[in-house]
């Protein structure tokens, strides 16, 4: 603080150097004139005309100093004046504005440039977010058209049918498509809420195994149809973590949906394992979602958290939006946890989540909501 005050004082005096020099030049002239007057009269008093002459001379020196100071600051002052009086000022004018002459003007120039860069970064971020949202909405609508078309087709086929078995099969298929629509709506809703994550956050201790069991039950039919056998591995069934229940359920849902989606593309029976354990030092709770599906190509693995990235697996199945893992990664970061992906193509994928045993209060809630 003291160093900053000295820096500001030094800059303040530097900016007024011209006026200070002008002042001392005027004083010097006064002393010289008084000395000459004393030598001429030998009385120690100045004549009235000499006082007037001294006043004129001091004013002339001050005018020179002010003129010099005005000329060197002219470009910057004109730029600021024009910008402050132009209601339609282009933001780009900040970049082209004249550099300051005094220290204060240099600070103003630097502050405006900093504000401009911060504003442009924020604007670019918002534009990117808006483009992603627009892209996602279009993709989501296109994705939802498939189950709607399938439901409509089944309704038309069974409209005049009197075969009970056909009607049961159609209803079962309609139920599956309806489930896809429900999951799609949930993803859309969570995506919309992600921007206001802090306002929607409710942290509490949750029974992790019970939640995992509930989420697996929600996907029981999909597992049966895909020939997938889910199981939970945990030494302590009462293990708890401190997190937001709704967002944690969203994460598990997305990971299990992905595991089922890419496991059913592989023939034969498959395993889906949810392993929950504490780290050796007790500092972390580790949750692993392990499937034995088609896996992810090595060159696609680093990009699975990018928005709209579907990779080679996206071409094998029509249901990929490229948003599931992106949203999971975003939520995990906001919850103060970590996520890692490990996969071998053709053998399966393991997604590892790491939660601090101390909870997320110190990692997330210590940050101010309004920034």
């Amino acid at each position: 603080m003291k160093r900053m005050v000295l820096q500001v004082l030094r800059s303040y005096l530097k900016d007024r150097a011209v006026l200070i020099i002008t002042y001392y030049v005027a004083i010097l002239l006064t002393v010289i004139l008084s000395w000459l007057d004393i030598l001429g009269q030998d009385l120690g008093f100045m004549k009235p005309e000499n006082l007037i002459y001294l006043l004129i001379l001091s004013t002339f020196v001050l005018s020179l100093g002010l003129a010099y100071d005005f000329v060197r600051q002219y470009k910057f002052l004109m730029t600021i004046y024009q910008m402050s009086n132009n209601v339609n000022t282009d933001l780009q004018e900040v970049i082209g504005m004249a550099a300051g002459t005094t220290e204060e003007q240099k600070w103003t120039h630097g502050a405006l440039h900093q504000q401009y860069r911060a504003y442009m970064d924020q604007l670019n971020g918002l534009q990117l977010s808006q483009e992603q949202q627009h892209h996602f909405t279009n993709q989501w609508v296109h994705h939802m058209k498939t189950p709607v078309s399938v439901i409509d087709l089944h309704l038309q086929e069974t409209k005049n049918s009197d075969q009970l078995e056909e009607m049961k099969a159609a209803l079962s298929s309609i139920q599956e498509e309806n489930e896809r629509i429900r999951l799609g709506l949930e993803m859309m809703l969570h995506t919309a809420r992600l921007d206001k994550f802090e306002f929607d956050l409710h942290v509490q201790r949750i029974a992790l195994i019970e939640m995992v069991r509930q989420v697996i039950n929600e996907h029981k039919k999909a597992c049966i149809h895909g020939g997938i056998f889910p199981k939970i591995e945990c030494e302590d069934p009462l293990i708890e973590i401190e997190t937001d229940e709704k967002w944690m359920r969203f994460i598990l849902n997305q990971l299990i949906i992905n595991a089922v989606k890419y496991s059913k593309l592989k023939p034969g029976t498959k395993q889906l394992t949810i392993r929950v354990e504490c780290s050796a030092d007790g500092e972390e709770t580790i949750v692993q979602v392990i499937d034995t599906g088609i896996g992810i190509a090595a060159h696609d693995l680093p990009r699975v958290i990018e928005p709209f990235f579907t990779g080679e697996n996206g071409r094998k199945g029509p249901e990929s939006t490229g948003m599931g893992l992106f949203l999971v990664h975003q939520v995990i970061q906001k919850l103060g946890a970590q996520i890692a992906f490990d996969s071998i193509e053709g053998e399966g994928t393991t997604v590892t989540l790491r939660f601090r045993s101390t909870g997320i209060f110190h990692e997330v809630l210590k940050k101010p909501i309004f920034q």
Side-chain angles (χ1 to χ4, degrees):
M1 185 66 185
K2 184 178 178 181
R3 184 177 179 183
M4 187 181 298
V5 171
L6 289 175
Q7 175 66 34
V8 171
L9 179 61
R10 189 160 47 244
S11 300
Y12 176 83
L13 294 175
K14 184 178 178 182
D15 285 346
R16 284 146 186 85
V18 173
L19 292 178
I20 294 172
I21 293 172
T22 302
Y23 172 78
Y24 279 106
V25 168
I27 291 295
L28 180 63
L29 289 175
T30 303
V31 171
I32 293 173
L33 193 62
S34 300
W35 180 67
L36 291 175
D37 183 73
I38 292 171
L39 291 179
Q41 299 295 325
D42 200 23
L43 295 174
F45 299 99
M46 295 179 64
K47 295 178 180 178
E49 56 268 28
N50 286 342
L51 288 175
I52 295 173
Y53 178 68
L54 179 60
L55 180 62
I56 294 173
L57 189 60
S58 299
T59 303
F60 175 73
V61 174
L62 179 62
S63 300
L64 285 179
L66 290 175
Y68 171 75
D69 196 43
F70 179 74
V71 169
R72 71 187 186 118
Q73 298 184 36
Y74 176 77
K75 287 180 66 177
F76 181 81
L77 294 176
M78 281 300 293
T79 304
I80 289 291
Y81 178 78
Q82 290 171 351
M83 290 176 65
S84 62
N85 286 278
N86 186 3
V87 294
N88 298 317
T89 300
D90 187 353
L91 197 60
Q92 295 293 331
E93 289 183 13
V94 174
I95 298 298
M97 68 181 294
T101 303
T102 66
E103 293 298 312
E104 292 172 353
Q105 290 169 0
K106 288 176 184 175
W107 293 344
T108 303
H109 187 266
L112 287 173
H113 273 247
Q114 290 285 358
Q115 291 296 317
Y116 174 79
R117 280 195 287 270
Y119 174 79
M120 290 307 295
D121 289 344
Q122 190 174 9
L123 183 63
N124 291 334
L126 290 173
Q127 286 177 339
L128 179 62
S129 176
Q130 188 178 27
E131 288 173 5
Q132 287 181 347
Q133 185 69 26
H134 182 69
H135 190 149
F136 174 64
T137 303
N138 288 338
Q139 200 169 22
W140 180 83
V141 171
H142 181 73
H143 194 64
M144 288 298 100
K145 286 171 65 178
T146 303
V148 171
S149 300
V150 173
I151 290 174
D152 186 58
L153 180 64
H154 282 301
L155 289 174
Q156 290 180 15
E157 288 177 350
T158 57
K159 191 174 183 179
N160 300 317
S161 174
D162 54 358
Q163 297 295 322
L164 185 59
E165 292 302 322
E166 287 184 6
M167 294 182 69
K168 284 184 177 179
L171 286 174
S172 177
S173 180
I174 289 172
Q175 190 176 19
E176 288 180 16
E177 299 304 324
N178 186 59
E179 180 65 13
R180 289 177 60 187
I181 293 175
R182 186 184 68 80
L183 293 174
L185 286 171
E186 282 188 0
M187 178 183 282
M188 192 61 163
L189 187 61
H190 281 88
T191 304
R193 288 173 174 168
L194 198 59
D195 289 338
K196 302 296 181 186
F197 183 86
E198 291 82 359
F199 295 99
D200 198 37
L201 188 65
H202 178 61
V203 178
Q204 58 184 328
R205 294 200 73 80
I206 61 171
L208 188 56
I209 302 303
E210 180 60 27
M211 174 180 284
V212 170
R213 190 173 289 113
Q214 290 173 4
V215 174
I216 288 178
N217 284 336
E218 291 175 10
H219 301 278
K220 185 169 56 180
K221 288 185 179 178
C223 288
I224 293 172
H225 290 164
I228 302 164
F229 294 91
K231 66 175 180 178
I232 301 174
E233 292 182 355
C234 180
E235 294 181 354
D236 180 8
L238 300 179
I239 192 168
E240 293 182 342
I241 60 171
E242 194 174 77
T243 189
D244 183 289
E245 181 178 356
K246 182 174 63 181
W247 286 107
M248 185 63 197
R249 190 180 292 274
F250 169 77
I251 291 169
L252 289 175
N253 258 313
Q254 287 300 315
L255 294 180
I256 291 176
I257 287 171
N258 266 26
V260 172
K261 186 193 304 179
Y262 296 115
S263 291
K264 69 182 183 183
L265 296 176
K266 187 177 178 180
T269 58
K270 285 82 60 177
Q271 296 286 333
L272 171 59
T273 305
I274 314 296
R275 182 179 298 155
V276 181
E277 59 185 2
C278 291
S279 61
D281 57 6
E283 294 292 325
E284 293 179 322
T285 300
I286 302 170
V287 181
Q288 288 185 305
V289 180
I290 308 167
D291 69 65
T292 55
I294 60 174
I296 303 171
H299 57 270
D300 283 345
L301 199 57
R303 301 185 60 191
V304 293
I305 58 173
E306 293 180 9
F308 311 115
F309 180 76
T310 56
E312 290 186 11
N313 288 347
R315 300 180 187 89
K316 297 174 183 175
E319 300 177 0
S320 299
T321 62
M323 286 298 289
L325 293 182
F326 167 72
L327 293 174
V328 167
H329 183 252
Q330 294 289 309
V331 175
I332 279 290
Q333 284 187 317
K334 290 178 181 293
L335 288 176
Q338 294 179 338
I339 187 170
F341 300 89
D342 185 23
S343 183
I344 299 176
E345 193 170 8
E347 295 185 14
T349 302
T350 299
V351 182
T352 304
L353 308 176
R354 293 179 176 273
F355 297 88
R356 286 184 179 275
S357 299
T358 52
I360 67 173
F361 282 100
H362 297 292
E363 298 298 325
V364 178
L365 297 185
K366 67 180 180 181
K367 298 177 182 176
I369 292 178
F370 300 98
Q371 291 183 338

